[in-house]
Amino acid sequence: VATKLEEIYAPTVDDFVDISANTYTRSEVIEYEMKLSQALDWQLTSVTTFKFIERFLKAAQSNPKDTCFVWYLSKLVLQEQSFVGLKPSMVAAAILNLARQTTCCRGNEVWTKTIQYYTRYSPADLEDVVRKMHLVHLHAWDGKYTSIRTRYSRADKFHVAQCVICLREEALSFEDTNR
């Protein structure tokens, strides 16, 4: 089952029969694959932070530059061990929140009702994670992130790695404007 999900050219049922040295018949392989899939309630893949980011970017109606900035932040923060174990939806929402706090200072609402509805997180829910991500963003110029920074400094990436970083943590806001 895993090879069907992960491999570009997945083995056929007959390949599995051959691999088993004909211990199992074609129909037995299919039967056990069905039993396994049913036992897993057909939930064969996990949802990643990247899938949540895609969904949340649609809800935020992000323009291409802001979208690129979100992907840049995601590449930075997902390198950090401190975000492992957090819900992928929370990590994705916090990345979007930090990106919007960094780029939406032109009078746009940072966390709209629509974004809050689709993410299911208020700004207050994300505060601790966003603050940690902010520190990662502040240190993006450290040698550890050189390849990410270089990639996102190119014109085709809107030079988002060179966006002005909010240096003061106090400038971050977590007020719920949707009440």
Side-chain angles (χ1 to χ4, degrees), residues 17 20-25 28:
V17 172
S20 75
N22 292 315
T23 305
Y24 301 99
T25 66
E28 287 175 320

Side-chain angles (χ1 to χ4, degrees), residues 72 102 134 137-141 161-168:
Y72 167 64
T102 305
H134 178 255
H137 189 210
L138 283 175
H139 295 286
W141 291 91
Q162 298 169 0
C163 285
V164 175
I165 300 170
C166 176
L167 294 176
R168 291 186 6 240

Side-chain angles (χ1 to χ4, degrees), residues 69-129:
F69 189 65
V70 166
W71 288 116
Y72 167 64
L73 287 176
S74 74
K75 302 294 193 274
L76 292 176
V77 303
L78 291 175
Q79 299 283 322
E80 294 297 319
Q81 190 71 28
S82 61
F83 299 105
V84 173
L86 296 178
K87 290 181 180 178
S89 60
M90 177 174 269
V91 173
I95 289 168
L96 179 63
N97 184 283
L98 179 58
R100 290 181 62 85
Q101 288 204 55
T102 305
T103 62
C104 285
C105 46
R106 301 170 207 60
N108 295 331
E109 190 177 1
V110 171
W111 208 246
T112 65
K113 288 180 182 177
T114 302
I115 294 171
Q116 188 159 323
Y117 174 81
Y118 282 100
T119 64
R120 301 193 189 282
Y121 292 104
S122 71
D125 296 332
L126 303 171
E127 182 173 0
D128 292 341
V129 180

Side-chain angles (χ1 to χ4, degrees), residues 7 18 30 32 63 77 100 104 107 118 124 141 152 168-169:
E7 298 294 328
D18 289 342
I30 293 170
Y32 285 112
N63 64 45
V77 303
R100 290 181 62 85
C104 285
Y118 282 100
W141 291 91
Y152 283 89
R168 291 186 6 240
E169 190 176 350

